[in-house]
Amino acid sequence: MNRLKTFLAIPATLDPDDARRRKILNIILLGFMAIGVFVLVFTVLPYTLTPGSHPPVDQDFFSLVAGSVISILAAGGLLWLNRSARVPAGLPGGIFLAFLIVTLSQVDTPEQLYNGRSLVAWVLPIMVAAVIFRPVYVFLAATVVSAMLLVFSPPLPGYVISVNVYAIATLYLVAVFSWLGMSIADNAIRDARREAANRSVVLDNVADGVFVYDADGRILSANPAMKKLVSEKQLGELAARLQGQGKQVVVNLGRRELAARQSEAPGLGVVVIARDTTRQREVEAAKDALLATVSHEMRTPLAAISGFAQVIRMAPQAGRAPELAGRIDANARRLANLVNSLLDNAQLQAGTFKLRMQPAHPRELAEEAEKLMKDLAQQKGLGFRLKIDQGVPDTVRVDAERTHQVLVNLIGNAIKFTDQGLITLHLFRPGAGRWGFSVADTGDGIPEEQLPDIFKPFRRGSDYATRKRQGAGLGLSISQQIVGMMGGEIRVESHLGMGSIFIVTLPVTGETQA
Amino acid sequence: MKKKLILIIEDDADLVDFYQILFGLAEVQARIEVCRDGRSGLERVCAKPEPRVILLDLHLPEVEGIEIFRAARKHTKSKVVIVTADLLAANDLRASADGVFVKPLDAEKFLRAQLELLEEAE
């Protein structure tokens, strides 16, 4: 079987359409050969099996034997010719078609071939032409066959030749339909090939590893990126470990970490898209470690600076020492707040930020914030008002500390960006199952074009007063994410020259968002 | 009457000084003992006399503060106040410790809390 396959192999360098046609020609030639063998065997067999009572060895016997031997040899020769890339694509087919037409012209009497039972035989070369040549060649085949019909036509009295118009018209009709059918098939094949090529271009060039395994964990295919990612042995191990797992799987192969996403492709197997996340994980771990260390190592000396400054303020000192100590302390705290914000921001981005949801009292939260921030507002000559609506729930579920952080951030911003007027903290109930607070100021307001960016980290309305006011611009971004995690929303309304209002609404029951 | 005992377990010398100056300024009527690493802290917590209040840093040389915290809870009735720069660890202990302060401290708030604890412990 394998030897036959090798014999029938066609050159790999061929255009795919030519290759397909050569393969079809091979099949036809094999069939032709088989018919030859069949005829030969059944012509010769009676003479060898029953030597006494066989038909006479006449001219028919010899022509049958000679015809089948010639067919077998011709088909074999053409099969051999068809293997060579140096032979033009159409040549073996052309020779075969000529041979077929000549053979057909010998199968019956000229009358029958022209106008009788064998007329149908002429359809054969046209159909063969349709599958072994480009579709348009059927018309050439039809023309050749029609010419043969003319050759076989018995001349009518008074005419040089007679034409069987109906037969020729039918042959051309067959040609038209063969052409139509094969053109449609050719186009479909070309489209499919182009699509497959597009797909494989994507798969070959995509940075992620892609492979397919079957129900037994066997690797069916893998793209170049996948082969670069892991060895063949590791790929088998990976497939074994992915089998029966969920859609998103993180697999550790040796010291490497791969994030794999798999999905069932019916009739194909399981398609896996894998990415090497080792480096990413290392970078994240290093970043976390750095941040934790920096945070710890900064806070400890800050604690000493701030502590001693506070002690100086408490001590009965003369002169400006308490005031200056107060400034040292304020700056140390600013630095500590920055460290806190950076740590919060890093945790929010890494998804390791955790909330501690517990029952809390909105009124207490507001009063605590008021107590902390009122002095700060008054130091700047600003009024501070706390307004609590009827119907604000007594108890809600929130992370009290983080809610306090949001309140302090919003009020702190309001004070920072307001030079005169009033800061209003307002507790309200926006609807069933929700509660909220807003912080309004009478500051400059935020230009409209900066509103969309206001909650982005490190932005804080870029140009707007950037140089004038302090802060890293992380507070609003952190506040928005904290509020979001608690199942709430934060939004801002602002008009230039009239001030801004930040409005937070939260669910009373505090369903957290993952 | 015997003076109440405050045990400070803190490896940073400056902060130890800060606590001592702060308690001195506020004229806190207490005796102060200091352990500068985790091992001596752990040994002291398990020994007598029992401190009224333990000020405990979490990241200490040799023995981690969390171990000292567990030992103090197991062997003593001392009030344990966590003072740490590690915000995450601090959050984890908020429910179980008698007080949690993240460095840098608000000196007044801190002092008030210690005075309350000292009275409570009587």
Side-chain angles (χ1 to χ4, degrees):
Chain A
M1 197 65 199
N2 271 341
R3 207 171 278 180
L4 180 68
K5 264 189 188 161
T6 322
F7 184 72
L8 291 181
I10 43 123
T13 50
L14 284 179
D15 162 82
D17 284 322
D18 279 344
R20 175 168 53 90
R21 292 188 186 115
R22 283 207 195 198
K23 275 184 197 158
I24 293 171
L25 180 60
N26 273 349
I27 293 165
I28 292 172
L29 287 170
L30 272 180
F32 202 73
M33 220 176 186
I35 292 170
V37 171
F38 184 82
V39 171
L40 186 64
V41 167
F42 281 89
T43 312
V44 176
L45 214 55
Y47 299 89
T48 50
L49 288 181
T50 52
S53 58
H54 53 73
V57 180
D58 54 10
Q59 202 191 340
D60 277 358
F61 173 81
F62 283 116
S63 48
L64 274 173
V65 170
S68 46
V69 168
I70 290 170
S71 298
I72 293 166
L73 290 177
L78 287 173
L79 276 171
W80 177 78
L81 207 61
N82 202 25
R83 300 175 61 204
S84 168
R86 274 177 302 175
V87 175
L91 187 63
I95 296 173
F96 172 67
L97 211 59
F99 185 75
L100 184 66
I101 291 171
V102 171
T103 307
L104 286 176
S105 70
Q106 301 304 313
V107 296
D108 214 338
T109 59
E111 294 78 34
Q112 295 298 343
L113 282 166
Y114 166 67
N115 206 3
R117 63 188 173 207
S118 294
L119 198 52
V120 72
W122 296 117
V123 169
L124 208 59
I126 298 174
M127 293 182 116
V128 169
V131 291
I132 65 174
F133 298 127
R134 272 189 283 136
V136 72
Y137 279 74
V138 292
F139 297 111
L140 185 62
T143 306
V144 171
V145 170
S146 301
M148 288 304 287
L149 268 189
L150 295 184
V151 170
F152 285 102
S153 62
L156 288 172
Y159 294 90
V160 180
I161 52 165
S162 64
V163 181
N164 185 345
V165 180
Y166 297 108
I168 289 173
T170 307
L171 288 175
Y172 273 97
L173 206 61
V174 168
V176 167
F177 280 105
S178 299
W179 169 76
L180 213 60
M182 283 317 289
S183 298
I184 291 168
D186 263 18
N187 283 336
I189 289 166
R190 206 166 299 138
D191 286 351
R193 199 182 296 134
R194 193 176 306 136
E195 201 175 314
N198 286 347
R199 218 172 279 168
S200 88
V201 162
V202 172
L203 275 183
D204 287 353
N205 292 293
V206 78
D208 286 340
V210 181
F211 72 98
V212 183
Y213 68 85
D214 66 8
D216 301 322
R218 271 191 308 250
I219 307 297
L220 298 180
S221 65
N223 75 341
M226 193 70 227
K227 288 174 186 158
K228 230 168 94 184
L229 208 57
V230 294
S231 69
E232 207 168 307
K233 195 172 144 234
Q234 282 177 316
L235 191 58
E237 192 192 327
L238 182 62
R241 285 176 53 185
L242 285 172
Q243 254 185 317
Q245 300 291 313
K247 281 199 159 100
Q248 311 262 4
V249 190
V250 175
V251 182
N252 286 300
L253 276 180
R255 274 197 258 134
R256 312 261 299 283
E257 184 197 88
L258 298 181
R261 214 174 65 218
Q262 56 179 352
S263 54
E264 198 92 33
L268 184 61
V270 179
V271 180
V272 182
I273 302 169
R275 180 174 290 183
D276 190 345
T277 46
T278 317
R279 183 89 194 105
Q280 197 182 333
R281 182 70 58 234
E282 283 169 358
V283 167
E284 265 167 35
K287 199 178 83 183
D288 285 353
L290 176 79
L291 207 68
T293 309
V294 167
S295 158
H296 183 265
E297 292 311 307
M298 272 178 88
R299 272 178 223 259
T300 305
L302 278 174
I305 296 169
S306 161
F308 287 128
Q310 292 177 75
V311 168
I312 295 171
R313 288 181 79 189
M314 287 178 191
Q317 295 273 351
R320 294 187 64 201
E323 184 216 325
L324 297 178
R327 280 157 70 174
I328 294 173
D329 185 31
N331 281 288
R333 277 162 202 253
R334 225 178 87 203
L335 216 51
N337 283 335
L338 172 64
V339 174
N340 287 348
S341 294
L342 287 173
L343 195 64
D344 282 349
N345 190 54
Q347 284 183 325
L348 283 164
Q349 286 191 345
T352 52
F353 192 91
K354 285 194 188 75
L355 289 176
R356 295 187 323 132
M357 301 295 276
Q358 57 197 3
H361 311 294
R363 177 182 286 272
E364 275 179 24
L365 285 169
E367 283 169 354
E368 211 176 306
E370 181 191 26
K371 206 168 98 191
L372 193 73
M373 305 303 285
K374 198 174 183 172
D375 285 349
L376 203 62
Q378 282 167 353
Q379 278 167 27
K380 220 179 153 183
L382 301 171
F384 189 98
R385 193 163 62 122
L386 172 60
K387 192 176 141 197
I388 302 178
D389 280 2
Q390 291 279 317
V392 170
D394 280 340
T395 309
V396 295
R397 255 184 86 78
V398 288
D399 182 323
E401 212 169 305
R402 293 305 187 176
T403 309
H404 177 76
Q405 183 180 343
V406 173
L407 274 164
V408 168
N409 172 250
L410 293 181
I411 299 169
N413 279 347
I415 296 171
K416 200 193 289 181
F417 291 105
T418 305
D419 294 324
Q420 54 180 346
L422 182 69
I423 310 294
T424 309
L425 171 60
H426 179 194
L427 254 62
F428 61 96
R429 175 157 203 171
R434 294 185 82 78
W435 70 286
F437 54 85
S438 66
V439 176
D441 63 45
T442 52
D444 297 339
I446 305 155
E448 202 173 327
E449 67 273 14
Q450 286 173 8
L451 282 176
D453 287 342
I454 198 116
F455 292 108
K456 288 182 185 159
F458 305 107
R459 295 302 276 268
R460 58 163 210 159
S462 23
D463 309 334
Y464 170 64
T466 304
R467 304 280 165 249
K468 233 166 83 188
R469 334 262 174 175
Q470 303 163 341
L474 278 171
L476 279 178
S477 161
I478 292 168
S479 291
Q480 186 193 36
Q481 293 180 77
I482 289 172
V483 168
M485 281 177 79
M486 292 196 293
E489 281 165 19
I490 183 167
R491 63 192 169 85
V492 58
E493 285 170 20
S494 185
H495 297 285
L496 272 183
M498 295 177 67
S500 310
I501 179 167
F502 285 81
I503 303 156
V504 175
T505 59
L506 288 160
V508 172
T509 49
E511 61 269 18
T512 52
Q513 312 265 300
Chain B
M1 193 188 87
K2 248 178 91 180
K3 269 190 176 176
K4 294 163 226 166
L5 176 64
I6 297 176
L7 174 62
I8 298 171
I9 308 177
E10 168 66 68
D11 61 327
D12 190 280
D14 283 334
L15 282 177
V16 172
D17 285 349
F18 160 69
Y19 292 138
Q20 287 180 326
I21 295 170
L22 183 68
F23 290 144
L25 265 174
E27 293 171 4
V28 173
Q29 295 301 306
R31 195 159 61 82
I32 292 168
E33 269 185 50
V34 177
C35 293
R36 294 283 307 279
D37 63 74
R39 184 163 307 285
S40 61
L42 186 62
E43 280 164 11
R44 179 61 194 86
V45 163
C46 298
K48 296 281 166 193
E50 194 171 280
R52 281 284 162 84
V53 174
I54 302 172
L55 296 182
L56 179 61
D57 185 16
L58 285 182
H59 296 302
L60 292 164
E62 296 185 56
V63 176
E64 283 286 322
I66 186 73
E67 267 184 58
I68 301 171
F69 177 71
R70 288 197 197 107
R73 277 288 183 258
K74 199 172 161 191
H75 301 297
T76 73
K77 290 194 185 71
S78 308
K79 303 282 182 187
V80 184
V81 176
I82 307 291
V83 189
T84 179
D86 186 338
L87 193 66
L88 299 181
N91 281 339
D92 291 341
L93 286 172
R94 255 175 230 284
S96 48
D98 294 295
V100 174
F101 288 89
V102 180
K103 297 169 185 172
L105 304 169
D106 180 323
E108 271 178 49
K109 210 167 147 188
F110 174 75
L111 194 58
R112 215 164 36 238
Q114 303 323 306
L115 290 173
E116 276 171 21
L117 281 177
L118 281 173
E119 270 172 34
E120 238 179 76
E122 282 191 63

